Structures are given as structure tokens and as C-alpha cells.
Amino acid sequence: QVQVVESGGGLVQAGGSLRLSCTVSGLTFDAYAMGWFRQAPGKEREGISCISRSGGSLDYADSVKGRFTISRDNAKNTLYLQMNSLKPEDTAMYYCAPSVRSRGCYLFESEYHSWGQGTQVTVSS
């Protein structure tokens, strides 16, 4: 059974930074792409970043490009999201999930599974 646990969220002022972590068990972590998604109250979940199994292919939503950096440590079965220059509109529950894709990565939610509980990020103005 795949288990996904996100951590690192919190309350931060606009312009600040946070680093999210996501540990995965029950899955051959380095065999699949991974992604970060977020869902704000009253809005649909949106894909914000993904990374291929080796880390060689990355993708970002336009809303976070240049501010967020995704990375992974396959030896630790852990995915990261470094978030800089945070804005109030980044406030959301953040989720990571493994993809079914073993080559490249795409931000199609239908390709992801085994969602965790998420970690809340709140950015105050």
C-alpha cells in the first residue's frame, strides 16, 4: 500500500519562504515521476510542479515559475518543494503524489494517485 506524507507547511508572511517535504513508502520511488498540487478553498486542485524519476525533467505552472523549485532525493524516498517569494494567493493545501509515468512528467492530475493528507500553507499579507 502506497503511503504519502507531506510536511513543512505553516504560516508565513508575504515574501517569505517555506520548504515542503513529501515522503513516500510502499512504492519504488525512483521508478516514477512525482508531482506537487495545491487546492485553495473553493477552488479546484491545480498542478504546480512535477519532476521525472531521475530529476532530469521538470515542469512548473506559470503561477509559480521562478519562485518555486522542485527536487527529489531518491535515496531518501523524498520529494521537496522550495517556495520563495510567497504571495497570499499561494495560500492552499499542498499535496504531493506519485505519477503512473516512468518517463518525463506532466501536470495531468489523472496521472497521479495515492494522495496524502496534504500540508497547509498560509501566506499573510
Side-chain angles (χ1 to χ4, degrees):
Q1 182 178 355
V2 180
Q3 290 190 320
V4 174
V5 180
E6 302 93 340
S7 62
L11 173 64
V12 64
Q13 288 189 329
S17 299
L18 283 174
R19 188 194 196 201
L20 305 184
S21 298
C22 167
T23 58
V24 180
S25 60
L27 180 80
T28 305
F29 184 76
D30 62 2
Y32 301 99
M34 292 289 300
W36 283 102
F37 292 74
R38 68 185 181 187
Q39 186 168 21
K43 295 187 177 182
E44 293 186 353
R45 187 156 55 190
E46 64 167 330
I48 56 172
S49 186
C50 67
I51 185 169
S52 62
R53 57 185 288 192
S54 68
S57 179
L58 311 175
D59 196 16
Y60 295 93
D62 288 344
S63 58
V64 306
K65 199 170 293 183
R67 300 188 297 122
F68 291 9
T69 302
I70 192 171
S71 62
R72 64 190 295 164
D73 185 336
N74 286 343
K76 296 181 178 179
N77 284 17
T78 302
L79 178 73
Y80 303 99
L81 186 69
Q82 177 67 43
M83 305 187 296
N84 299 328
S85 302
L86 283 161
K87 305 175 181 180
E89 51 263 44
D90 294 317
T91 295
M93 187 71 78
Y94 283 70
Y95 302 90
C96 78
S99 170
V100 298
R101 191 174 288 273
S102 59
R103 297 183 66 180
C105 81
Y106 296 90
L107 288 171
F108 299 137
E109 187 175 343
S110 61
E111 294 189 352
Y112 293 82
H113 61 91
S114 304
W115 300 92
Q117 295 297 309
T119 186
Q120 177 68 39
V121 172
T122 303
V123 185
S124 63
S125 57

